[in-house]
Amino acid sequence: PPMRPTPAFGGGRGKKRAVLIGIKYTNRRSCELRGPINDVKCMRYLLTERFGFPNDCVLILTDEERNPCRQPTKDNIRMAMHWLVQGCSYGDSLVFQFSGLGAQVPDDDGDELDGMDEALCPVDSFQQGPILDDEINEAIVRPLVHGVKLHAIVDACHSATVLDLPYQCTVSKQTGRWRWRDERPMTGACKGTTGGQAVLISGSSNGKSNMSVLPEPYATIGAMTHSFIRAVECEPRTTYGRLLTSMRAIMRDSSGNCNLQGPIGGSIRKVANFSGVEVSQIFLPQVLAACTLASVTVAHVTIFAHIY
């Protein structure tokens, strides 16, 4: 669908910009989540305090916002994605975070190897439908020009290929080593950037959607978001390979305990009152990447190279 004019989100247009989306789905009690709002609060603190993102360049959409333009509806998420990449240029560092529900729907254009499109569910998805990976790719991946880097952190079920990126990094169960897998569609459709780099860190394999939520009155944080923040806090200038290895270890060892350590831990606890981990998916993190060179290896790419 054609992009609509960006609403009056306000904020700046600095070289570091982020869109953070957290949806609890309080309008659907059977689907309600408790972690996404805290995910957004924690990620905002990490970006602004640790990586120097200006507060007015971080756009937040949650279903707790009173401003209608900041509600995570399908239209608002579309416009927020447009805002994120509009006019991007060399040296820009962009972050897209989504914490909520994911979905799969039958692929209708033949560009999915498994015959299914992955999708993100806006707060009004039950009325307006989800946002498909094809649209997300076109909105925030294809426009990335040379020198622009996008990091997407998606804590949702069915999220492994939700940006439709052409290469996937997986771990070998036999050797424990990371390896790239070619995910380019057989139709020849282009799913890469226009010279920039896009990296997706997701917490769930496609087709997996187990749910386990801590009982009231606990406020929680998503398992993948929790492991990501802890891993970055432990080693801020890490590589992708080391980041994923650390996240996998944290997710295996957390056992429902939210124990953020280091300088950022105490500060985050002031803005997000949580006491446990919400496991919206039990599968361990994967990285998908769209790079100008297919031979880029995980262990030699510095995480957040453009965020510092």
Side-chain angles (χ1 to χ4, degrees), residues 18-22 40 43-44 47 58-62 95 97:
V19 168
L20 312 180
I21 302 167
V40 165
M43 190 63 67
R44 179 178 185 174
L47 293 177
V58 178
L59 175 61
I60 291 178
L61 304 181
T62 74
V95 172
Q97 180 202 12

Side-chain angles (χ1 to χ4, degrees), residues 10-14 16-17 55-58 83:
R13 296 295 302 171
K16 298 177 180 181
R17 301 189 297 279
N55 277 298
D56 64 350
C57 292
V58 178
W83 173 88

Side-chain angles (χ1 to χ4, degrees), residues 31 51 150-151 160 175 197 202 255 259 261:
C31 302
F51 296 115
L150 167 74
H151 286 95
T175 66
Q197 186 173 7
S202 68
S255 301
N259 186 25
Q261 302 293 336

Side-chain angles (χ1 to χ4, degrees), residues 106-187:
D107 173 38
D108 62 2
D109 58 8
D111 67 346
E112 296 287 349
L113 298 179
D114 62 356
M116 301 293 288
D117 276 319
E118 284 66 52
L120 300 180
C121 297
V123 70
D124 58 351
S125 59
F126 299 99
Q127 296 80 33
Q128 302 298 325
I131 302 176
L132 301 186
D133 51 8
D134 295 329
E135 179 179 350
I136 298 169
N137 180 278
E138 184 176 350
I140 62 174
V141 175
R142 295 293 300 280
L144 301 178
V145 298
H146 177 66
V148 177
K149 179 172 285 189
L150 167 74
H151 286 95
I153 300 99
V154 179
D155 201 340
C157 51
H158 308 296
S159 60
T161 59
V162 77
L163 262 64
D164 241 5
L165 301 181
Y167 304 103
Q168 181 175 11
C169 176
T170 59
V171 64
S172 169
K173 294 181 180 179
Q174 288 73 34
T175 66
R177 301 180 66 177
W178 297 99
R179 59 187 179 186
W180 288 107
R181 188 170 69 196
D182 192 339
E183 292 280 325
R184 288 175 294 180
M186 297 180 64
T187 61

Side-chain angles (χ1 to χ4, degrees), residues 215-232:
E216 292 283 11
Y218 299 116
T220 56
I221 182 172
M224 201 215 70
T225 304
H226 167 246
S227 66
F228 175 81
I229 292 174
R230 280 192 61 186
V232 172

Side-chain angles (χ1 to χ4, degrees), residues 27 32 35 39 45 79 82 85 91 96 104 128-129 145 151 196 226 236-237 240 246 264 293 296 298:
N27 58 339
E32 186 173 358
D39 289 356
Y45 192 92
M79 290 186 284
H82 179 58
V85 302
F96 176 83
Q104 282 187 313
Q128 302 298 325
V145 298
H151 286 95
H226 167 246
R237 298 191 70 87
Y240 289 122
S246 179
I264 200 170
L293 295 177
V296 172
V298 177

Side-chain angles (χ1 to χ4, degrees), residues 61-81:
L61 304 181
T62 74
D63 44 2
E64 288 189 346
E65 293 284 341
R66 295 184 178 181
N67 183 343
C69 289
R70 301 297 180 94
Q71 281 281 316
T73 62
K74 188 172 186 176
D75 280 348
N76 283 348
I77 292 175
R78 283 172 166 171
M79 290 186 284
M81 291 192 294

